[in-house]
Amino acid sequence: MGVVYEAEELASGRRVALKILPAELSASGEALERFRREARFAAAISDTHCVFVYGAHEVEGSPAISMELCGSETLEDRIRAREPVPIRTAVGWMIEVLDGLEAAHRAGVLHRDVKPSNCFLGPDGRVKIGDFGLARTLERDVHLTQSGAFLGSPLYASPEQVRGREIDLRSDLYSCGATLSALLTGTPPFSGQNLGEVLARILSESPPKPRSIRPEIPRALERVVLRAMAKDPRRRFRDHAGFRAALQGFVSEAPPGNMGWRFVASVIDLAAGVGIYMVLAIGLWFASARSGHFSELPSAAFALSGYAGVFLVLALCEGCFGATFGKWLMGQRVVAVSTGHRSFPRAALRAGVFMSPFVLVQALRPALLLATWTSPYIPFVIPFLIVLAFLATLRRRNGYRAVHELASGTRVIQVPPVFARRLRPATASSRRPEPEMGLPGTVGTCQVEGVIGRTPLGPLMRGRDPGLGRTVWIQAYVESPGPALDHARRSLARVGRLRWLHSHTEQGVRYEVFEDPGGAGFSDMIRAGLDWPQTYRFLLALAEELSEGNPASSGFAGRGVCLEQLWIDRTGNLRVLDEPIGSGPFRSVPPLEFLGETARTMCLGSGATGLPPDLPHHAEGTMRRICGLGDLFGSVDAAHSALAALSSRPTALARRIRVTQIAAATIASTLTLFFMVTAWLVTVSNANQSKHQARLHRLLRSDFSSAVLQDGGPEDAEDRRARLTLISYYSQPWASKADAGAQIEGREIMDEALRLVPHPTTAEVRVAAERLAPRVRAGGLALEDIYEDAPNLRGPLGRSLVAWVALSMVLAFLLRGGLSLRLFGMDIRDRRGERASRLRCAGRALILGSPLVAFVLALALLPTSSGSVLAPLALALMAVFGLGLVWSVWSPTRGPHDLIAGTRLVPR
């Protein structure tokens, strides 16, 4: 489609790549339209990973495009060199290509011709994607020779593109996978003697496995490549971000697993392991009971079966998926040290070494019980002591590897946890140009549309370049013409600065033309409000741009910067303008001071001295130093390094981790309340059991009628039935047992009572007791000696609930929020953005438990017989907690109790 020259702009001295359509193709309307379309498509994209178009020109009657000069080498040249590309380098290049394609897709451009020859290597080793002008047909792009040399685009085209069907971004992802396969193996995935053979193989054959050509390629990377090249688009990655995330682990060595999150993952896995142990043990019990050999099965078999189940789960989860549920949730992955990827044999060895103390102690349990005079619980404690000994080898220098990891050649690495929220671009509606009298109609070939704003140098206008169909910014140098922009500024190509396009002088006024970033001024974003993820994103970009070691700073250290120079473009990126926009006066300060001023403005507005209320705990120290609330950083470089170190930590609470924390806290609270209530009930039951047995013995006495009722006359039929009713009531727990303390005659009476009144109701028992009450008193006994109402359970229940609320307040006071918040990496802040005090945390726990306290007070005020009121109260209590749970899930950072207490949850 053209010839590309390295050229120099005579006016600016900038070196560019100049693509000229040959004269023989200029006469073709189709070729000319395709050439213009390529220019328009590429001009719509502004990203560091895409070749940037500076302008459209005409050279000796032929159309031409001036583009960013990226260097003369492409990825195709590396493939043709027949030298193996390092795996990490190849994956890093593909990630940069994906970044460029994602930026193009945001601009509404689908490349449709991703291949190694369109990926350019710059002098700095970075890759840029170019050539956005592919037509819908493939014939013109095929360069076929009889020797079967390089064929061109069809080698990397997707099956649906070959068939001529409608395509989407997944077609580009297929081409990226094919390009990565070629980089890894040194040869395109499909080849042939002619075009028909190549296309037939693309449509009918599965992509070859890269490991069959280069065995050192990790299996996990091979799976990523094959997924990207799946023939069915639905089986490929959904978008560029998914493909990039799958490749990220192959370009850099992941840090060791965070020890706090690793502990939380272990607790979650331990709970799951106990559940698996119980399920397998109960299943084995049922199986042995049905076989009739349960008595012959030793108890150790239950433990060993549970250990075997836990071993299988660990080996399968960590070997096949790289993580158990707890590790997956907390961003932990088990990988082999040698390859950096999961390995089933090593995961199985790791699980076996870890479980060996439990199995060994269980096998030696009989000998341990016979050999020791200590508690029988010692055999259960020994394995956990050995596991603690395993942790003695944890050192920073060995990547915090325990004994079972050293023995198996594995390590635990840290990846972003599932609850780490991805940074969201903050966008603002683009500022519209305002018409103004006295503006030129055109500047060079650009049509002026209006004024974006005023600068100290003159009006900043927006215009349209009809040749490329894009809008541009035009800075008029009216007030202070000054010298032209230097060569460094004109060649600047960074996302944080506007790209310079060209200059034009007309009627003594110099005009500098820049790309149009869209978006709005930084002050507009401040008025709309910023959360911490957006604040962090802007601060990181600004610190990188102001860094003294950054060539893009271009004079900032000498003249300072002001807030009116900050701009947020249409994609949410922060740009630093050359001149401030506004009416002034402008307060320019040195870069380090400006970084702190910007941080304070984003946190709480101009002149504020506080911290944002949603600031994570781990970022507080850095933000205090930047905002001037602590020791200041020595340079912008130091501040940028500190901000960059926060990128691997969560910026905000995600709904998934909040749901998990709420579920864990609810389950733990329910179990705690259950055990408390059970303990109270057992205490009450044990206290009344002896009374029940004594009453039963009195009622079973053979001389009951003469000894007890002698003063009230003989026992008639009604008295006997009343006594049998009470006997049946007290005999229920021992209905199937022989009472050694009762005489034969008494046993017969108990059997008769159970036969005549098998299941007496509470009302029947009360009526029977009232029937015998006068005669019992006449016999010298109190009514309580033969009957007492069922114990009142409201007392134990109320005491349990109050004890739970008190325990929650104590834990909240000691741990600043509670155990579940600490385990799941959450912290609490107050309205001022400061870390909440212990008393406030305890008050928050009291507010959370206040419905329980109200329920207990209602129990105490209700009469004993108000069972009809107790059920509605319990339903109301559950409804209140249910609404609170729904609210907390809908608003993870501020539940109803947080609103009342004036607190907010943030990442720890």
Side-chain angles (χ1 to χ4, degrees):
M1 284 302 298
V3 181
V4 182
Y5 298 91
E6 180 177 353
E8 179 181 336
E9 288 182 344
L10 298 180
S12 65
R14 178 175 58 188
R15 305 190 73 79
V16 299
L18 189 66
K19 186 173 184 177
I20 303 177
L21 186 67
E24 60 270 19
L25 292 178
S26 299
S28 169
E30 179 184 353
L32 186 60
E33 176 57 29
R34 175 182 166 186
F35 192 79
R36 291 172 176 170
R37 184 172 65 247
E38 176 184 356
R40 289 194 298 268
F41 283 170
I45 307 168
S46 176
D47 188 80
T48 55
H49 297 99
C50 294
V51 176
F52 187 79
V53 172
Y54 292 119
H57 311 274
E58 185 175 308
V59 178
E60 297 180 353
S62 297
I65 308 172
S66 61
M67 299 176 291
E68 179 183 0
L69 183 64
C70 302
S72 58
E73 190 176 18
T74 67
L75 297 187
E76 178 61 30
D77 297 326
R78 289 297 183 95
I79 295 175
R80 287 181 175 178
R82 299 297 180 185
E83 296 181 359
V85 178
I87 294 175
R88 183 173 296 182
T89 302
V91 174
W93 286 343
M94 186 49 54
I95 290 177
E96 293 176 354
V97 171
L98 289 170
D99 289 338
L101 291 175
E102 188 174 31
H105 189 259
R106 287 197 301 265
V109 178
L110 190 64
H111 195 287
R112 300 202 302 261
D113 193 23
V114 179
K115 57 185 178 182
S117 58
N118 283 340
C119 302
F120 301 92
L121 269 175
D124 57 355
R126 295 182 178 273
V127 175
K128 295 178 181 287
I129 182 75
D131 195 355
F132 286 86
L134 177 65
R136 290 187 178 276
T137 58
L138 301 175
E139 288 80 7
R140 190 178 297 277
D141 297 300
V142 176
H143 306 281
L144 183 62
T145 63
Q146 295 297 325
S147 61
F150 173 62
L151 298 177
S153 296
L155 293 175
Y156 303 95
S158 64
E160 62 269 24
Q161 188 173 3
V162 171
R163 291 189 177 98
R165 296 179 179 175
E166 191 69 24
I167 61 175
D168 55 18
L169 66 88
R170 292 174 296 184
S171 178
D172 281 353
L173 296 184
Y174 176 97
S175 301
C176 288
T179 301
L180 179 57
S181 176
L183 288 172
L184 294 172
T185 62
T187 179
F190 297 104
S191 59
Q193 297 299 318
N194 53 64
L195 175 60
E197 181 180 352
V198 173
L199 300 182
R201 296 186 65 184
I202 292 176
L203 294 175
S204 60
E205 297 182 8
S206 298
K209 295 184 177 181
R211 283 177 52 84
S212 63
I213 303 175
R214 188 177 178 183
E216 64 266 27
I217 296 175
R219 294 186 185 274
L221 180 57
E222 181 183 67
R223 287 192 291 268
V224 171
V225 173
L226 295 179
R227 179 181 175 185
M229 296 184 64
K231 293 192 178 301
D232 186 355
R234 294 173 296 182
R235 299 182 59 189
R236 300 174 198 158
F237 295 99
R238 283 193 193 174
D239 50 24
H240 307 87
F243 195 177
R244 182 173 54 243
L247 294 175
Q248 201 68 50
F250 301 96
V251 294
S252 59
E253 186 173 349
N258 180 278
M259 295 305 295
W261 289 346
R262 190 170 175 180
F263 172 75
V264 176
S266 301
V267 172
I268 297 173
D269 290 337
L270 179 62
V274 171
I276 294 172
Y277 173 87
M278 296 297 295
V279 170
L280 292 177
I282 292 174
L284 184 60
W285 184 87
F286 275 109
S288 60
R290 293 191 62 181
S291 64
H293 300 287
F294 175 71
S295 59
E296 301 175 5
L297 189 68
S299 60
F302 291 100
L304 293 177
S305 64
Y307 295 156
V310 174
F311 165 78
L312 289 176
V313 170
L314 289 176
L316 290 174
C317 291
E318 295 178 352
C320 298
F321 306 104
T324 57
F325 174 74
K327 291 185 176 66
W328 170 80
L329 185 67
M330 307 308 297
Q332 312 273 317
R333 299 293 185 270
V334 177
V335 299
V337 175
S338 56
T339 63
H341 304 287
R342 59 179 181 265
S343 169
F344 180 79
R346 293 189 180 275
L349 179 59
R350 180 181 187 274
V353 175
F354 179 77
M355 296 303 301
S356 59
F358 296 91
V359 177
L360 180 63
V361 172
Q362 186 62 42
L364 299 177
R365 184 170 178 269
L368 291 174
L369 290 174
L370 292 175
T372 181
W373 54 269
T374 55
S375 169
Y377 295 104
I378 288 297
F380 298 98
V381 176
I382 292 178
F384 293 99
L385 296 178
I386 298 178
V387 170
L388 290 177
F390 276 14
L391 305 180
T393 60
L394 296 177
R395 298 289 188 278
R396 181 184 294 273
R397 61 176 178 270
N398 65 9
Y400 297 105
R401 297 168 64 195
V403 171
H404 58 296
E405 294 163 343
L406 293 172
S408 59
T410 59
R411 62 189 291 254
V412 177
I413 62 173
Q414 184 68 50
V415 299
V418 297
F419 53 86
R421 193 171 75 176
R422 192 180 300 171
L423 293 181
R424 300 176 301 169
T427 58
S429 57
S430 296
R431 181 181 295 183
R432 294 184 178 181
E434 299 291 338
E436 187 174 308
M437 298 294 295
L439 295 179
T442 60
V443 173
T445 60
C446 297
Q447 302 171 353
V448 177
E449 297 179 345
V451 175
I452 294 293
R454 287 281 175 177
T455 71
L457 303 178
L460 177 63
M461 302 172 289
R462 193 176 81 173
R464 176 168 294 275
D465 185 346
L468 293 176
R470 69 180 176 187
T471 57
V472 296
W473 276 9
I474 306 172
Q475 174 66 66
Y477 284 70
V478 177
E479 305 297 335
S480 176
L485 298 181
D486 58 17
H487 177 72
R489 177 62 189 93
R490 291 179 171 183
S491 302
L492 205 57
R494 285 182 57 86
V495 69
R497 303 294 297 280
L498 297 184
R499 288 182 185 258
W500 178 81
L501 301 179
H502 57 84
S503 295
H504 183 76
T505 302
E506 186 174 327
Q507 297 180 356
V509 179
R510 190 175 90 249
Y511 299 94
E512 301 288 353
V513 183
F514 300 87
E515 64 170 311
D516 177 12
F522 183 69
S523 57
D524 297 331
M525 293 297 300
I526 294 297
R527 284 193 293 268
L530 297 176
D531 58 10
W532 166 248
Q534 296 166 339
T535 300
Y536 171 71
R537 187 171 184 266
F538 291 152
L539 278 180
L540 182 62
L542 180 61
E544 181 179 1
E545 204 60 48
L546 297 178
S547 175
E548 295 176 3
N550 182 5
S553 59
S554 185
F556 284 155
R559 63 188 180 111
V561 204
C562 62
L563 287 172
E564 290 77 12
Q565 288 179 249
L566 299 183
W567 189 271
I568 308 300
D569 67 13
R570 61 174 63 91
T571 59
N573 293 318
L574 184 138
R575 304 288 190 106
V576 182
L577 305 181
D578 290 14
E579 300 294 334
I581 298 178
S583 57
F586 305 113
R587 178 177 175 270
S588 297
V589 296
L592 182 59
E593 184 180 347
F594 176 68
L595 182 64
E597 181 179 339
T598 306
R600 290 190 296 271
T601 303
M602 284 192 287
C603 290
L604 292 175
S606 179
T609 58
L611 297 173
D614 58 344
L615 179 69
H617 178 68
H618 61 263
E620 181 174 347
T622 301
M623 284 300 295
R624 284 187 175 277
R625 297 185 65 182
I626 291 177
C627 294
L629 303 177
D631 295 334
L632 293 175
F633 285 104
S635 64
V636 180
D637 286 336
H640 174 249
S641 299
L643 286 170
L646 303 177
S647 60
S648 61
R649 306 292 295 274
T651 57
L653 290 181
R655 187 168 284 110
R656 283 177 293 182
I657 189 61
R658 183 70 168 123
V659 170
T660 306
Q661 181 266 330
I662 290 174
T666 302
I667 293 174
S669 301
T670 303
L671 291 177
T672 303
L673 283 174
F674 172 78
F675 285 121
M676 285 183 175
V677 173
T678 301
W680 285 110
L681 292 180
V682 169
T683 302
V684 173
S685 176
N686 291 336
N688 288 279
Q689 184 176 359
S690 58
K691 295 181 181 180
H692 288 187
Q693 289 179 342
R695 291 167 186 150
L696 178 61
H697 278 281
R698 292 191 186 97
L699 293 168
L700 289 175
R701 286 171 54 184
S702 59
D703 60 344
F704 180 84
S705 176
S706 58
V708 177
L709 304 179
Q710 57 183 354
D711 295 336
E715 183 182 26
D716 57 17
E718 294 296 331
D719 293 336
R720 182 172 179 80
R721 183 169 182 84
R723 183 157 69 106
L724 291 177
T725 300
L726 291 174
I727 290 173
S728 177
Y729 172 72
Y730 289 124
S731 300
Q732 296 298 322
W734 304 280
S736 61
K737 300 178 181 178
D739 190 354
Q743 301 177 3
I744 299 298
E745 181 182 1
R747 180 67 190 187
E748 292 175 352
I749 296 175
M750 186 175 71
D751 293 339
E752 179 185 0
L754 293 172
R755 184 175 63 255
L756 294 177
V757 193
H759 301 290
T761 64
T762 304
E764 292 176 337
V765 174
R766 184 176 292 107
V767 170
E770 292 174 354
R771 168 72 185 179
L772 295 180
R775 319 196 80 178
V776 168
R777 294 191 184 96
L781 294 176
L783 179 62
E784 291 76 11
D785 292 331
I786 64 167
Y787 173 75
E788 184 179 9
D789 283 332
N792 186 2
L793 303 182
R794 296 182 300 168
L797 179 60
R799 287 190 290 269
S800 300
L801 295 178
V802 172
W804 182 87
V805 173
L807 178 62
S808 300
M809 293 180 62
V810 171
L811 290 177
F813 180 84
L814 296 177
L815 302 178
R816 285 185 182 269
L819 184 59
S820 66
L821 296 182
R822 177 65 65 91
L823 290 178
F824 284 88
M826 301 182 192
D827 204 3
I828 303 178
R829 291 193 174 275
D830 58 20
R831 292 188 180 94
R832 300 172 299 170
E834 299 290 342
R835 194 179 185 192
S837 64
R838 297 183 186 273
L839 288 178
R840 185 179 291 270
C841 293
R844 176 181 179 273
L846 177 60
I847 295 172
L848 180 61
S850 58
L852 292 178
V853 176
F855 182 74
V856 172
L857 293 176
L859 286 179
L861 296 176
L862 284 176
T864 305
S865 60
S866 298
S868 60
V869 182
L870 185 60
L873 279 177
L875 292 176
L877 176 66
M878 289 187 289
V880 169
F881 273 107
L883 291 175
L885 291 178
V886 172
W887 189 336
S888 298
V889 171
W890 175 70
S891 177
T893 59
R894 302 208 74 183
H897 50 295
D898 289 300
L899 289 176
I900 299 174
T903 56
R904 179 190 299 270
L905 294 180
V906 297
R908 189 170 182 80

